[in-house]
Amino acid sequence: MRLVFYKPEQIPEIWQYAEPLFLRVIDKAVHGEFDIVDLHRMARDGKVVVCLVWEGDEVVMATAIEFVYYPKATAANVLAMGGRDLKKVLDKFFEPVKQFCREAGADWITCSVSRAMERIHKRNGLHTIYRSMRMEL
């Protein structure tokens, strides 16, 4: 397996591999914040970084990371992560992703997740800071 981070100009050539994995995440875990067209545009415009984990010729994990700039800190927000063999992939590639985010200037990694994903991410050292709530207007 190999992990590759893509630049905005590379998105058109790899999107066909990332899109199916992102679509599954958007269908199951995104609640109206963005759709696949938005995610593609953000990747192409450099507003998110896409990284893919390849196993041979197959993509087994796609992740989109958005950098959020606060006055006193920078967050690497995992906007979407989809694929299979999550535990195996995270065990192998979480450290290189952390290093990438650190080198890009991030002070921490954040993500909005379901309770099930919260349990998975806690195994990798993430911890709950906020509980997110919403009211439709």
Side-chain angles (χ1 to χ4, degrees), residues 59-78:
V59 174
V60 295
M61 179 71 64
T63 304
I65 302 169
E66 164 193 46
F67 288 88
V68 180
Y69 302 96
Y70 297 103
K72 298 193 182 301
T74 299
N77 180 45
V78 178

Side-chain angles (χ1 to χ4, degrees), residues 84-124:
R84 62 178 172 80
D85 298 328
L86 183 61
K87 182 182 178 336
K88 178 174 138 184
V89 172
L90 287 175
D91 284 351
K92 183 167 180 137
F93 293 111
F94 194 64
E95 285 301 319
V97 169
K98 283 175 29 182
Q99 185 63 30
F100 172 84
C101 293
R102 198 177 296 117
E103 289 174 4
D107 297 291
W108 54 71
I109 295 173
T110 63
C111 53
S112 295
V113 297
S114 67
R115 288 181 194 251
M117 284 300 295
E118 179 181 27
R119 287 189 297 274
I120 290 169
H121 285 315
K122 280 185 175 184
R123 290 193 301 242
N124 288 300

